[in-house]
Amino acid sequence: MTQPVRRRAPSAPGVPALAVLSYHLAAYRRTWRAGVFSSFLLPVLTVLGFGVSVGGYVDQGVDGVRYLDWIVPGLIASSALQVAVSESTWPVFSNFQWVKTYLAQSAAPLRVGDLLTGHLAFVLFRVLTSMAAFLLVTALFGAVRSPWAVATLPVVVLLGLAVAAPTFAYAATVSSDSWLAMLLRFAVIPMTLFAGVFFPVESLPLALRWLAYLTPLWHGVDLCRAATLGVAPQWSTVGHLLYLAAWAVAGWLLARRAFRRRLVV
């Protein structure tokens, strides 16, 4: 049984977190080629499948907007959520349970905040690069109607942090990877289906509508849709950003607490 490391004083994330980020980037250098093709193929398939094929049956679009143009920002936000979750579930669980990377790193002059922040920074790097490719492909399809579309990139980074941070906390506390699959089934999939990605939230019953408003994804979708269409969001921009930031901060604090329980005595 692995012996826990001795207790260290908590620290705010700082420069040592860059060393953790460098570790994850160095590991990614060996695998990035496998993901480049899918980074461009996935948006092509989703645009063709949902935007062109399904959109062909939506004669008048949504709110006077062509369905392809309306759905693309939702797909960008939901894809950012899925990348953030996939990079924050099994990789985090594995670093504790299987390969025990966190245990090895905690034996170095690194603190819990460094391990957590460095790995989260890598997840945000993956979200940013993947969604930049998605945005480029959809722009080539003519589905971007405003130069403000570039604002989707910082939005998806914030959305990714709002999702990844609490997912880190969850993955650090579960005892089996079966719980990670349950997160996908009972949180990610329903959120993707009912948070305004494929149809307006206003068409839902009132109770489900408010559940959609509580999810971080709806706020990301509304901001991305406003940016790509060049219109005002349905809700306050500042309100959206503060809500996502609250998820991110609360998630980081919970994740740090969970990491400390696993790594520090």
Side-chain angles (χ1 to χ4, degrees):
M1 180 176 178
T2 304
Q3 294 295 324
V5 299
R6 63 183 179 86
R7 180 179 294 276
R8 295 188 180 96
S11 67
V15 175
L18 296 178
V20 179
L21 172 61
S22 298
Y23 163 79
H24 291 288
L25 290 174
Y28 185 61
R29 286 174 57 186
R30 299 191 295 269
T31 61
W32 69 271
R33 293 175 182 83
V36 168
F37 182 69
S38 61
S39 295
F40 288 92
L41 179 61
L42 178 61
V44 170
L45 292 178
T46 52
V47 167
L48 290 177
F50 289 105
V52 177
S53 300
V54 177
Y57 294 96
V58 184
D59 296 333
Q60 298 180 358
V62 180
D63 297 331
V65 178
R66 187 176 60 152
Y67 187 66
L68 175 61
D69 300 349
W70 190 88
I71 196 176
V72 157
L75 293 175
I76 291 175
S78 64
S79 298
L81 176 141
Q82 292 167 20
V83 170
V85 170
S86 67
E87 292 287 344
S88 306
T89 46
W90 277 272
V92 173
F93 182 83
S94 174
N95 283 346
F96 278 117
Q97 200 76 14
W98 296 329
V99 298
K100 301 184 185 298
T101 301
Y102 290 143
L103 296 174
Q105 290 177 334
S106 64
L110 295 169
R111 299 179 180 179
V112 171
D114 302 324
L115 304 183
L116 173 60
T117 304
H119 197 173
L120 275 173
F122 173 73
V123 172
L124 298 185
F125 166 80
R126 290 282 291 117
V127 170
L128 177 61
T129 54
S130 299
M131 293 311 103
F134 204 127
L135 183 63
L136 174 62
V137 171
T138 52
L140 294 176
F141 274 87
V144 174
R145 301 176 52 168
S146 170
W148 282 102
V150 295
T152 59
L153 296 180
V155 168
V156 295
V157 169
L158 181 57
L159 173 62
L161 183 58
V163 171
T167 304
F168 266 59
Y170 179 80
T173 56
V174 298
S175 57
S176 168
D177 62 332
S178 298
W179 291 98
L180 303 179
M182 292 181 65
L183 177 68
L184 299 179
R185 292 171 187 167
F186 297 108
V188 175
I189 293 177
M191 204 185 312
T192 302
L193 292 176
F194 299 109
V197 176
F198 303 105
F199 55 85
V201 170
E202 291 73 23
S203 62
L204 292 171
L206 184 60
L208 289 178
R209 191 184 313 169
W210 278 104
L211 286 176
Y213 293 153
L214 291 175
T215 66
L217 180 57
W218 178 78
H219 297 267
V221 169
D222 194 32
L223 286 173
C224 289
R225 186 161 287 139
T228 59
L229 297 180
V231 298
Q234 294 183 21
W235 203 42
S236 162
T237 299
V238 174
H240 280 314
L241 297 176
L242 289 177
Y243 189 75
L244 292 174
W247 271 81
V249 171
W252 190 89
L253 292 174
L254 290 172
R256 186 180 65 172
R257 181 182 179 185
F259 272 50
R260 284 183 58 80
R261 287 183 172 181
R262 294 290 296 270
L263 296 173
V264 180
V265 294

